[in-house]
Amino acid sequence: GEEEMEGLVREWYLYKRDEISRLVGEIGSAYKGLNPKGKVLAVGSANFYRQKLGLRNLTCQDWLHWLAEGHVDEVLLEEAWSDPKNEHLWAAAQALVGKADRAIPLTPVIRAGAAVEAELKALGRQQTLPRVVLKSSETKEASALVSRTAALRGADNKP
């Protein structure tokens, strides 16, 4: 039945969440053992908690759980920030962290192939950000992005 299936999906999710969280904790502890002043950062989807449980089971990137367990020092959140359905997503992520026992920094990630100006503008409407991470997998793409960002700073005279 549907109710029984939902219970099994939840049970499986919690098992996977706890196992992955344990792994994240072990990796973070090993790193800090080698570099006590180092910071452990995790990358996750800002929309993770909007997904149905079945979809969450696919990635199991429960960054809020990692934060609550003390496994990470900062979370980098990826999303299409300029998508209208994500208009209040950054504020929602901040509110989730605010409810946790342990506050840590969140940093938005912008993919280099995206319309960077629109992504920055969308994030800026939600909150003043101390920094963003620009993600690129190609050197050529990264160089073009740095040039465009420098041009934006020059036009607005803002860092």
Side-chain angles (χ1 to χ4, degrees), residues 11 49 55 87 107-108 128 130 132 142 154:
E11 186 177 326
Y49 299 100
L55 288 174
E87 183 178 358
T107 301
T128 302
V132 297

Side-chain angles (χ1 to χ4, degrees), residues 8-10 12 20 42 44-45 53 58 71 87 96 109 111 113 125-126 130 144 154 158:
L8 291 172
V9 169
R10 180 166 306 287
W12 177 242
I20 291 173
S45 169
L53 195 54
L58 296 175
H71 299 321
E87 183 178 358
L96 282 173
V109 174
R111 292 174 198 96
R125 282 192 297 266
Q126 295 186 45
K158 293 180 184 177

Side-chain angles (χ1 to χ4, degrees), residues 37-67:
K37 292 183 181 181
K39 301 284 184 193
V40 177
L41 282 67
V43 179
S45 169
N47 265 327
F48 180 75
Y49 299 100
R50 286 183 176 175
Q51 296 173 349
K52 292 182 178 184
L53 195 54
L55 288 174
R56 285 193 219 170
N57 257 324
L58 296 175
T59 62
C60 215
Q61 52 177 271
D62 199 328
W63 52 266
L64 193 58
H65 187 71
W66 303 338
L67 174 160

Side-chain angles (χ1 to χ4, degrees), residues 15-152:
Y15 169 77
K16 280 179 61 177
R17 182 202 65 186
D18 291 346
E19 288 299 302
I20 291 173
S21 184
R22 184 184 55 74
L23 178 62
V24 170
E26 287 177 6
I27 292 168
S29 292
Y31 172 74
K32 289 200 173 190
L34 297 171
N35 186 359
K37 292 183 181 181
K39 301 284 184 193
V40 177
L41 282 67
V43 179
S45 169
N47 265 327
F48 180 75
Y49 299 100
R50 286 183 176 175
Q51 296 173 349
K52 292 182 178 184
L53 195 54
L55 288 174
R56 285 193 219 170
N57 257 324
L58 296 175
T59 62
C60 215
Q61 52 177 271
D62 199 328
W63 52 266
L64 193 58
H65 187 71
W66 303 338
L67 174 160
E69 294 289 311
H71 299 321
V72 297
D73 300 306
E74 183 173 349
V75 176
L76 307 176
L77 292 179
E78 293 187 284
E79 207 49 68
W81 301 105
S82 60
D83 187 325
K85 73 176 183 240
N86 295 330
E87 183 178 358
H88 303 289
L89 185 58
W90 183 253
Q94 292 281 52
L96 282 173
V97 170
K99 292 177 183 178
D101 291 340
R102 192 172 165 262
I104 65 164
L106 292 179
T107 301
V109 174
I110 297 174
R111 292 174 198 96
V116 176
E117 295 85 353
E119 296 290 286
L120 289 170
K121 190 180 282 189
L123 281 164
R125 282 192 297 266
Q126 295 186 45
Q127 182 175 346
T128 302
L129 301 166
R131 64 185 174 178
V132 297
V133 171
L134 300 172
K135 178 181 176 182
S136 173
S137 58
E138 295 183 28
T139 305
K140 190 182 339 176
E141 189 178 62
S143 296
L145 182 61
V146 169
S147 297
R148 285 179 26 217
T149 304
L152 283 174

